[in-house]
PDB file of all heavy atoms in Angstrom:
ATOM      1  N   THR E   8    -212.210  17.615  21.910  1.00 46.00           N
ATOM      2  CA  THR E   8    -211.399  18.385  22.846  1.00 46.00           C
ATOM      3  C   THR E   8    -209.942  18.385  22.436  1.00 46.00           C
ATOM      4  O   THR E   8    -209.056  18.544  23.256  1.00 46.00           O
ATOM      5  CB  THR E   8    -211.541  17.814  24.273  1.00 46.00           C
ATOM      6  OG1 THR E   8    -211.205  16.419  24.245  1.00 46.00           O
ATOM      7  CG2 THR E   8    -212.944  17.987  24.787  1.00 46.00           C
ATOM      8  N   LEU E   9    -209.649  18.201  21.124  1.00 46.00           N
ATOM      9  CA  LEU E   9    -208.277  18.266  20.660  1.00 46.00           C
ATOM     10  C   LEU E   9    -207.697  19.637  20.956  1.00 46.00           C
ATOM     11  O   LEU E   9    -208.413  20.636  20.988  1.00 46.00           O
ATOM     12  CB  LEU E   9    -208.219  18.015  19.149  1.00 46.00           C
ATOM     13  CG  LEU E   9    -208.381  16.563  18.682  1.00 46.00           C
ATOM     14  CD1 LEU E   9    -208.463  16.522  17.159  1.00 46.00           C
ATOM     15  CD2 LEU E   9    -207.219  15.715  19.142  1.00 46.00           C
ATOM     16  N   PRO E  10    -206.376  19.739  21.158  1.00 45.00           N
ATOM     17  CA  PRO E  10    -205.770  21.031  21.452  1.00 45.00           C
ATOM     18  C   PRO E  10    -205.961  21.998  20.292  1.00 45.00           C
ATOM     19  O   PRO E  10    -206.132  21.601  19.146  1.00 45.00           O
ATOM     20  CB  PRO E  10    -204.292  20.675  21.665  1.00 45.00           C
ATOM     21  CG  PRO E  10    -204.098  19.386  20.959  1.00 45.00           C
ATOM     22  CD  PRO E  10    -205.389  18.655  21.091  1.00 45.00           C
ATOM     23  N   GLN E  11    -205.848  23.309  20.598  1.00 39.00           N
ATOM     24  CA  GLN E  11    -206.166  24.326  19.614  1.00 39.00           C
ATOM     25  C   GLN E  11    -205.336  24.210  18.345  1.00 39.00           C
ATOM     26  O   GLN E  11    -205.823  24.431  17.239  1.00 39.00           O
ATOM     27  CB  GLN E  11    -205.968  25.721  20.240  1.00 39.00           C
ATOM     28  CG  GLN E  11    -206.477  26.853  19.361  1.00 39.00           C
ATOM     29  CD  GLN E  11    -207.972  26.763  19.143  1.00 39.00           C
ATOM     30  OE1 GLN E  11    -208.711  26.397  20.037  1.00 39.00           O
ATOM     31  NE2 GLN E  11    -208.421  27.092  17.937  1.00 39.00           N
ATOM     32  N   TRP E  12    -204.043  23.800  18.490  1.00 36.00           N
ATOM     33  CA  TRP E  12    -203.194  23.732  17.308  1.00 36.00           C
ATOM     34  C   TRP E  12    -203.606  22.632  16.345  1.00 36.00           C
ATOM     35  O   TRP E  12    -203.204  22.623  15.190  1.00 36.00           O
ATOM     36  CB  TRP E  12    -201.727  23.548  17.696  1.00 36.00           C
ATOM     37  CG  TRP E  12    -201.423  22.310  18.454  1.00 36.00           C
ATOM     38  CD1 TRP E  12    -201.431  22.154  19.804  1.00 36.00           C
ATOM     39  CD2 TRP E  12    -201.052  21.041  17.916  1.00 36.00           C
ATOM     40  NE1 TRP E  12    -201.108  20.884  20.139  1.00 36.00           N
ATOM     41  CE2 TRP E  12    -200.854  20.168  19.010  1.00 36.00           C
ATOM     42  CE3 TRP E  12    -200.855  20.536  16.630  1.00 36.00           C
ATOM     43  CZ2 TRP E  12    -200.481  18.842  18.847  1.00 36.00           C
ATOM     44  CZ3 TRP E  12    -200.479  19.214  16.470  1.00 36.00           C
ATOM     45  CH2 TRP E  12    -200.293  18.393  17.571  1.00 36.00           C
ATOM     46  N   MET E  13    -204.464  21.683  16.832  1.00 42.00           N
ATOM     47  CA  MET E  13    -204.944  20.624  15.947  1.00 42.00           C
ATOM     48  C   MET E  13    -206.359  20.890  15.457  1.00 42.00           C
ATOM     49  O   MET E  13    -206.909  20.126  14.675  1.00 42.00           O
ATOM     50  CB  MET E  13    -204.913  19.270  16.660  1.00 42.00           C
ATOM     51  CG  MET E  13    -203.533  18.746  16.915  1.00 42.00           C
ATOM     52  SD  MET E  13    -203.564  17.170  17.774  1.00 42.00           S
ATOM     53  CE  MET E  13    -204.399  16.149  16.576  1.00 42.00           C
ATOM     54  N   MET E  14    -206.956  21.989  15.979  1.00 36.00           N
ATOM     55  CA  MET E  14    -208.355  22.216  15.644  1.00 36.00           C
ATOM     56  C   MET E  14    -208.493  23.111  14.424  1.00 36.00           C
ATOM     57  O   MET E  14    -207.954  22.828  13.384  1.00 36.00           O
ATOM     58  CB  MET E  14    -209.079  22.811  16.854  1.00 36.00           C
ATOM     59  CG  MET E  14    -209.271  21.786  17.975  1.00 36.00           C
ATOM     60  SD  MET E  14    -210.337  20.425  17.495  1.00 36.00           S
ATOM     61  CE  MET E  14    -211.853  21.293  17.260  1.00 36.00           C
ATOM     62  N   GLY E  15    -209.163  24.222  14.551  1.00 36.00           N
ATOM     63  CA  GLY E  15    -209.522  25.010  13.379  1.00 36.00           C
ATOM     64  C   GLY E  15    -210.776  24.406  12.794  1.00 36.00           C
ATOM     65  O   GLY E  15    -211.480  23.634  13.439  1.00 36.00           O
ATOM     66  N   THR E  16    -211.058  24.740  11.607  1.00 30.00           N
ATOM     67  CA  THR E  16    -212.253  24.209  10.945  1.00 30.00           C
ATOM     68  C   THR E  16    -211.926  22.907  10.250  1.00 30.00           C
ATOM     69  O   THR E  16    -211.150  22.893   9.303  1.00 30.00           O
ATOM     70  CB  THR E  16    -212.788  25.227   9.924  1.00 30.00           C
ATOM     71  OG1 THR E  16    -213.033  26.449  10.589  1.00 30.00           O
ATOM     72  CG2 THR E  16    -214.077  24.711   9.285  1.00 30.00           C
ATOM     73  N   PHE E  17    -212.478  21.803  10.748  1.00 33.00           N
ATOM     74  CA  PHE E  17    -212.264  20.502  10.112  1.00 33.00           C
ATOM     75  C   PHE E  17    -213.227  20.382   8.930  1.00 33.00           C
ATOM     76  O   PHE E  17    -214.440  20.403   9.115  1.00 33.00           O
ATOM     77  CB  PHE E  17    -212.541  19.374  11.114  1.00 33.00           C
ATOM     78  CG  PHE E  17    -211.402  19.091  12.033  1.00 33.00           C
ATOM     79  CD1 PHE E  17    -211.360  19.650  13.293  1.00 33.00           C
ATOM     80  CD2 PHE E  17    -210.370  18.275  11.635  1.00 33.00           C
ATOM     81  CE1 PHE E  17    -210.301  19.377  14.130  1.00 33.00           C
ATOM     82  CE2 PHE E  17    -209.313  17.997  12.479  1.00 33.00           C
ATOM     83  CZ  PHE E  17    -209.276  18.554  13.731  1.00 33.00           C
ATOM     84  N   PHE E  18    -212.628  20.307   7.773  1.00 31.00           N
ATOM     85  CA  PHE E  18    -213.489  20.113   6.605  1.00 31.00           C
ATOM     86  C   PHE E  18    -212.681  19.500   5.481  1.00 31.00           C
ATOM     87  O   PHE E  18    -211.470  19.557   5.448  1.00 31.00           O
ATOM     88  CB  PHE E  18    -214.098  21.438   6.144  1.00 31.00           C
ATOM     89  CG  PHE E  18    -213.092  22.371   5.490  1.00 31.00           C
ATOM     90  CD1 PHE E  18    -212.965  22.402   4.118  1.00 31.00           C
ATOM     91  CD2 PHE E  18    -212.277  23.176   6.264  1.00 31.00           C
ATOM     92  CE1 PHE E  18    -212.028  23.236   3.526  1.00 31.00           C
ATOM     93  CE2 PHE E  18    -211.349  24.015   5.680  1.00 31.00           C
ATOM     94  CZ  PHE E  18    -211.221  24.052   4.313  1.00 31.00           C
ATOM     95  N   LEU E  19    -213.381  18.911   4.537  1.00 31.00           N
ATOM     96  CA  LEU E  19    -212.802  18.482   3.276  1.00 31.00           C
ATOM     97  C   LEU E  19    -213.535  19.235   2.179  1.00 31.00           C
ATOM     98  O   LEU E  19    -214.737  19.509   2.297  1.00 31.00           O
ATOM     99  CB  LEU E  19    -212.967  16.977   3.066  1.00 31.00           C
ATOM    100  CG  LEU E  19    -212.168  16.097   4.015  1.00 31.00           C
ATOM    101  CD1 LEU E  19    -212.493  14.634   3.723  1.00 31.00           C
ATOM    102  CD2 LEU E  19    -210.683  16.337   3.868  1.00 31.00           C
ATOM    103  N   LEU E  20    -212.832  19.574   1.132  1.00 31.00           N
ATOM    104  CA  LEU E  20    -213.465  20.249   0.016  1.00 31.00           C
ATOM    105  C   LEU E  20    -214.493  19.333  -0.622  1.00 31.00           C
ATOM    106  O   LEU E  20    -214.512  18.145  -0.396  1.00 31.00           O
ATOM    107  CB  LEU E  20    -212.393  20.656  -0.999  1.00 31.00           C
ATOM    108  CG  LEU E  20    -211.319  21.617  -0.461  1.00 31.00           C
ATOM    109  CD1 LEU E  20    -210.300  21.885  -1.546  1.00 31.00           C
ATOM    110  CD2 LEU E  20    -211.951  22.902   0.024  1.00 31.00           C
ATOM    111  N   CYS E  21    -215.363  19.921  -1.410  1.00 34.00           N
ATOM    112  CA  CYS E  21    -216.403  19.132  -2.083  1.00 34.00           C
ATOM    113  C   CYS E  21    -215.797  17.898  -2.714  1.00 34.00           C
ATOM    114  O   CYS E  21    -214.862  17.987  -3.505  1.00 34.00           O
ATOM    115  CB  CYS E  21    -217.072  19.992  -3.157  1.00 34.00           C
ATOM    116  SG  CYS E  21    -218.373  19.131  -4.030  1.00 34.00           S
ATOM    117  N   LEU E  22    -216.294  16.735  -2.323  1.00 34.00           N
ATOM    118  CA  LEU E  22    -215.692  15.478  -2.740  1.00 34.00           C
ATOM    119  C   LEU E  22    -216.209  15.073  -4.111  1.00 34.00           C
ATOM    120  O   LEU E  22    -217.403  14.933  -4.325  1.00 34.00           O
ATOM    121  CB  LEU E  22    -216.025  14.398  -1.697  1.00 34.00           C
ATOM    122  CG  LEU E  22    -215.503  14.729  -0.298  1.00 34.00           C
ATOM    123  CD1 LEU E  22    -215.991  13.675   0.678  1.00 34.00           C
ATOM    124  CD2 LEU E  22    -214.001  14.821  -0.285  1.00 34.00           C
ATOM    125  N   THR E  23    -215.276  14.881  -5.036  1.00 33.00           N
ATOM    126  CA  THR E  23    -215.624  14.491  -6.387  1.00 33.00           C
ATOM    127  C   THR E  23    -214.773  13.322  -6.798  1.00 33.00           C
ATOM    128  O   THR E  23    -213.958  12.823  -6.030  1.00 33.00           O
ATOM    129  CB  THR E  23    -215.381  15.659  -7.364  1.00 33.00           C
ATOM    130  OG1 THR E  23    -213.965  15.859  -7.462  1.00 33.00           O
ATOM    131  CG2 THR E  23    -216.039  16.948  -6.885  1.00 33.00           C
ATOM    132  N   HIS E  24    -214.908  12.907  -8.024  1.00 34.00           N
ATOM    133  CA  HIS E  24    -214.089  11.824  -8.536  1.00 34.00           C
ATOM    134  C   HIS E  24    -212.712  12.298  -8.954  1.00 34.00           C
ATOM    135  O   HIS E  24    -211.886  11.506  -9.374  1.00 34.00           O
ATOM    136  CB  HIS E  24    -214.799  11.169  -9.733  1.00 34.00           C
ATOM    137  CG  HIS E  24    -215.994  10.375  -9.336  1.00 34.00           C
ATOM    138  ND1 HIS E  24    -215.926   9.058  -8.942  1.00 34.00           N
ATOM    139  CD2 HIS E  24    -217.296  10.726  -9.232  1.00 34.00           C
ATOM    140  CE1 HIS E  24    -217.141   8.612  -8.643  1.00 34.00           C
ATOM    141  NE2 HIS E  24    -217.981   9.608  -8.814  1.00 34.00           N
ATOM    142  N   GLN E  25    -212.454  13.622  -8.849  1.00 37.00           N
ATOM    143  CA  GLN E  25    -211.153  14.147  -9.219  1.00 37.00           C
ATOM    144  C   GLN E  25    -210.219  14.125  -8.024  1.00 37.00           C
ATOM    145  O   GLN E  25    -210.581  14.552  -6.934  1.00 37.00           O
ATOM    146  CB  GLN E  25    -211.305  15.598  -9.737  1.00 37.00           C
ATOM    147  CG  GLN E  25    -212.225  15.717 -10.945  1.00 37.00           C
ATOM    148  CD  GLN E  25    -211.692  14.929 -12.125  1.00 37.00           C
ATOM    149  OE1 GLN E  25    -210.504  14.962 -12.419  1.00 37.00           O
ATOM    150  NE2 GLN E  25    -212.584  14.200 -12.787  1.00 37.00           N
ATOM    151  N   THR E  26    -209.007  13.668  -8.209  1.00 42.00           N
ATOM    152  CA  THR E  26    -208.020  13.621  -7.143  1.00 42.00           C
ATOM    153  C   THR E  26    -207.223  14.917  -7.129  1.00 42.00           C
ATOM    154  O   THR E  26    -206.673  15.318  -8.147  1.00 42.00           O
ATOM    155  CB  THR E  26    -207.049  12.449  -7.366  1.00 42.00           C
ATOM    156  OG1 THR E  26    -207.807  11.260  -7.430  1.00 42.00           O
ATOM    157  CG2 THR E  26    -206.054  12.360  -6.228  1.00 42.00           C
TER     158      THR E  26
END
Side-chain angles (χ1 to χ4, degrees):
T8 55
L9 284 173
Q11 189 63 37
W12 61 270
M13 290 179 63
M14 289 296 295
T16 304
F17 278 96
F18 72 96
L19 292 177
L20 300 178
C21 181
L22 300 175
T23 69
H24 289 274
Q25 301 298 317
T26 302

